[in-house]
């Protein structure tokens, strides 16, 4: 957490920040009116992606969301969260971040993750500032072995050219748009 905060705080002038993680930092809610890249092929239908770490109680709170909120707003944050370790013991981790002196033109762009094996574009829930999350379907999407259409934008089988998932993102920082 200290490394993450220090890296954000020391971003050079003009940098756009993309945080790439295995899974979403917190539950993700669909962008209202934008469903063209949110998979709706599998039951149960949802308009959100839950974060396994949050729902399983492995992490309490939303430390990444709070830190990125402070970063976007050029402010400060001091908080803590509890993390369950693999041995089921818990530890409380405190953190503080000061983003009041960021270099000129530094901005948060998005999170990119893929843990849930489905395509989904949305915002991190429970945050003051919009934090875009691009969830990417990875190879071996859920449903493929059971004969269901996978939870990606195309059916993926276990062999051949369509077994892997590739998403290309275009980021226009002037217009504040992301294309998938």
């Amino acid at each position: 957490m200290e490394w993450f905060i220090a890296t954000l705080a020391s971003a050079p002038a003009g940098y756009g920040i993309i945080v790439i993680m295995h899974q979403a930092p917190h539950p993700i809610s669909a962008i209202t009116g934008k469903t063209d890249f949110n998979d709706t092929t599998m039951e149960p239908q949802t308009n959100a992606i839950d974060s396994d770490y949050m729902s399983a109680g492995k992490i309490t709170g939303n430390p990444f969301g709070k830190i990125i909120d402070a970063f976007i707003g050029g402010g400060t944050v001091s908080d803590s969260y509890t993390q369950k370790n693999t041995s089921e013991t818990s530890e409380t981790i405190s953190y503080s971040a000061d983003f009041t002196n960021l270099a000129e033109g530094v901005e948060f762009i998005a999170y990119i993750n893929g843990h849930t094996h489905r395509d989904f574009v949305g915002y991190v829930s429970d945050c003051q500032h919009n934090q875009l999350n691009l969830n990417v379907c990875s190879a071996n999407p859920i449903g493929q072995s059971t004969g269901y259409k996978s939870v990606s934008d195309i059916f993926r089988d276990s062999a051949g050219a369509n077994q892997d998932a590739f998403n290309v993102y275009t980021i226009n920082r002037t217009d504040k748009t992301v294309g998938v």
Side-chain angles (χ1 to χ4, degrees), residues 29-38 47 121 123:
S29 298
I31 300 170
T32 304
K34 300 286 185 186
T35 59
D36 54 336
F37 200 70
N38 295 334
N47 65 349
V121 176
Y123 289 120

Side-chain angles (χ1 to χ4, degrees), residues 49-176:
I49 286 183
D50 196 9
S51 172
D52 291 345
Y53 281 112
M54 307 306 173
S55 62
K58 295 191 186 225
I59 293 179
T60 60
N62 183 0
F64 288 103
K66 289 179 181 180
I67 290 167
I68 295 296
D69 261 348
F71 179 81
I72 292 170
T76 62
V77 63
S78 287
D79 206 353
S80 62
Y81 63 95
T82 302
Q83 174 178 310
K84 281 187 184 174
N85 299 318
T86 54
S87 63
E88 295 304 316
T89 61
S90 295
E91 64 179 312
T92 299
I93 300 168
S94 297
Y95 60 92
S96 289
D98 182 349
F99 300 115
T100 56
N101 294 310
L102 291 174
E104 183 71 29
V106 173
E107 65 181 332
F108 174 77
I109 296 172
Y111 298 96
I112 298 176
N113 56 275
H115 171 78
T116 62
H117 295 246
R118 63 186 291 196
D119 289 320
F120 196 89
V121 176
Y123 289 120
V124 178
S125 303
D126 302 326
C127 292
Q128 178 183 359
H129 301 283
N130 283 339
Q131 297 180 22
L132 182 63
N133 191 93
L134 307 169
N135 196 88
V136 181
C137 181
S138 58
N140 294 324
I142 297 168
Q144 145 180 322
S145 61
T146 61
Y148 290 102
K149 180 183 182 298
S150 70
V151 290
S152 69
D153 45 346
I154 62 170
F155 185 84
R156 301 190 193 284
D157 57 23
S158 60
N162 70 346
Q163 71 180 341
D164 295 318
F166 296 95
N167 285 0
V168 176
Y169 297 104
T170 57
I171 299 168
N172 185 323
R173 292 177 64 196
T174 303
D175 294 340
K176 305 291 185 197

